[in-house]
Amino acid sequence: MTALVWEYLQEYENEREEVLDAVETVFRSGRLILGKSVKGFEEEYAAYHGVPHCVGLDNGTNAVKLGLQALEVGPGDEVITVANTAVPTVTAIEGAGATPVFVDIRPDTYLMDTDQVAAAITSRTKAILPVHLYGQCVDMTPLTELARRHGLVILEDCAQAHGARQHGRMAGTFGGVGAFSFYPTKILGTYGDAGGAITSDDTVADNLRHLRYYGMKDRYYVVRNPGHNSRLDELHAEILRRKLKRLDGYLEARRALALRYDEALRDTELVLPAVAPGNLHSYYLYVVRHPKRDEIIEALKGYDIALNISYPWPIHTMTGFAHLGYREGALPVTERLAGEIFSLPMYPALSHDVQDKVISALREVLATR
């Protein structure tokens, strides 16, 4: 059984009655698409972030893609982002017709190096797309100033940063759109694919609602073309409504687990997660570093512990993105860290006993390296 399956089953056992009640509520409502559950979740998720609009979508990839399109980013435009992210970030940019342009990352937080963004801006640049990776925010102060100065839009990829904050402000509220994934393993996840986008801009919100529903404003009347079939369905929306009430509890549990890792491993040779000044980390992942990463992961298999790497291949080095014209060596920090990072188990239902087993095994393995 994989760690992700184990995590899902534990969570389901803890919340089974509420999940099944959500299913029963939707199935007995007689409305399965864009009904009360979607509307309710959108209102509640927007309120959680202190913004007027949330638009429910079918997945996090389309939250990025449609978010860019709603901001009028498209063919001929460039979008500045990073290569140490999940592939969907970049496929969404290309899906909107734009071209991704990569900058390197900071070696301490693994987040976009905002000092490199200004030099990447060209006459074709239309947007900056910071990825709030692993659960904490990119430094948004210089990015918002650059966007203002150059007339650019910002879309925040918040797929891994539900509930994260910077100087008290929530991830997803700095730019024109905050794009979220509600994939099952996310901090706030449902039992299938789902996504959403938040915004404070009425026009952008209208654009998103049109785009997710074939480009229609009213039934059968298209105002934007091409549109998409990218609606959040009622079932996932109702499950998310129930789980949203637990989100602060999920975050509290993750932060407590991260603190236990910090205290137990700070005297080892592992490089532990660094929290940037002003950030409140949500710990979607607890990512550590070691130059002998692969040896460590292999040795831990002997303890029946399987660990994940997010992400072992920077996007610009993949053959599927060779058309972007990058070569190995173009992003040296990204490339070096991709060979050293790995994640320790992190989910709210993780027991102290299991966590202690991981810590003990990891310390034993590190002692032999």
Side-chain angles (χ1 to χ4, degrees):
M1 183 183 297
T2 68
L4 292 180
V5 171
W6 179 247
E7 174 184 345
Y8 154 75
L9 290 175
Q10 283 188 290
E11 180 185 87
Y12 181 66
E13 284 303 315
N14 292 342
E15 302 177 5
R16 180 175 179 273
E17 290 186 9
E18 198 161 16
V19 171
L20 294 181
D21 183 66
V23 174
E24 183 75 3
T25 296
V26 171
F27 285 3
R28 289 192 176 277
S29 72
R31 183 72 179 268
L32 301 181
I33 303 294
L34 294 183
K36 291 182 179 179
S37 293
V38 168
K39 186 174 186 296
F41 173 70
E42 290 176 337
E43 291 174 349
E44 291 154 12
Y45 201 62
Y48 183 84
H49 289 85
V51 298
H53 305 287
C54 170
V55 179
L57 300 163
D58 55 344
N59 56 63
T61 308
N62 281 335
V64 176
K65 175 183 173 181
L66 272 62
L68 289 171
Q69 292 177 323
L71 292 167
E72 306 299 344
V73 177
D77 296 330
E78 293 178 346
V79 178
I80 298 173
T81 190
V82 291
N84 72 319
T85 182
V87 167
T89 304
V90 178
T91 57
I93 293 171
E94 295 197 311
T99 300
V101 174
F102 299 124
V103 295
D104 216 338
I105 59 174
R106 295 189 185 279
D108 53 350
T109 62
Y110 322 137
L111 300 172
M112 175 184 278
D113 186 342
T114 55
D115 292 339
Q116 297 189 20
V117 174
I121 295 173
T122 72
S123 60
R124 294 177 57 195
T125 306
K126 183 68 175 290
I128 304 172
L129 200 163
V131 180
H132 300 319
L133 199 67
Y134 304 146
Q136 69 170 324
C137 295
V138 173
D139 185 0
M140 294 304 296
T141 300
L143 290 190
T144 53
E145 173 57 25
L146 274 175
R148 184 197 62 78
R149 193 185 318 151
H150 292 274
L152 307 177
V153 297
I154 292 176
L155 184 145
E156 299 169 66
D157 185 337
C158 305
Q160 300 186 6
H162 308 74
R165 294 176 182 265
Q166 186 168 98
H167 301 299
R169 189 169 174 177
M170 299 200 74
T173 65
F174 293 88
V177 170
F180 291 84
S181 169
F182 304 120
Y183 186 77
T185 60
K186 301 303 183 186
I187 296 173
L188 179 64
T190 183
Y191 290 83
D193 274 322
I198 61 173
T199 183
S200 294
D201 189 306
D202 295 347
T203 299
V204 171
D206 285 342
N207 288 344
L208 280 163
R209 294 187 183 101
H210 300 157
L211 285 163
R212 74 172 175 184
Y213 190 44
Y214 309 111
M216 293 181 184
K217 179 178 180 180
D218 300 307
R219 193 176 184 187
Y220 303 130
Y221 191 89
V222 170
V223 294
R224 288 187 67 105
N225 188 42
H228 309 271
N229 179 8
S230 298
R231 302 162 297 198
L232 175 65
D233 70 54
E234 284 287 284
L235 182 57
H236 291 315
E238 187 61 33
I239 292 171
L240 287 167
R241 293 185 75 184
R242 313 299 179 92
K243 296 186 72 175
L244 179 57
K245 298 173 183 177
R246 298 174 178 261
L247 178 53
D248 287 340
Y250 297 153
L251 293 167
E252 183 180 349
R254 288 174 179 273
R255 289 168 182 144
L257 289 166
L259 181 59
R260 293 188 87 244
Y261 277 134
D262 288 345
E263 293 173 345
L265 297 171
R266 62 165 52 108
D267 63 338
T268 70
E269 294 181 352
L270 288 176
V271 178
L272 304 182
V275 181
N279 274 358
L280 180 62
H281 206 308
S282 58
Y283 291 103
Y284 170 62
L285 297 176
Y286 188 90
V287 177
V288 298
R289 278 173 49 203
H290 195 284
K292 296 182 179 179
R293 186 266 314 277
D294 294 342
E295 291 181 26
I296 292 168
I297 289 179
E298 186 62 30
L300 286 170
K301 292 178 182 178
Y303 295 81
D304 197 28
I305 296 172
L307 301 183
N308 190 48
I309 304 170
S310 299
Y311 301 92
W313 300 286
I315 289 174
H316 72 290
T317 67
M318 299 181 187
T319 56
F321 294 97
H323 61 281
L324 296 176
Y326 290 85
R327 295 185 178 182
E328 289 194 25
L331 303 172
V333 179
T334 296
E335 293 168 31
R336 175 169 60 85
L337 297 189
E340 298 180 357
I341 56 174
F342 61 106
S343 303
L344 305 186
M346 172 59 70
Y347 52 94
L350 180 65
S351 70
H352 287 181
D353 286 345
V354 173
Q355 187 182 29
D356 288 341
K357 174 187 174 183
V358 173
I359 291 168
S360 176
L362 188 52
R363 291 185 67 90
E364 288 183 24
V365 169
L366 288 169
T368 66
R369 293 301 179 275

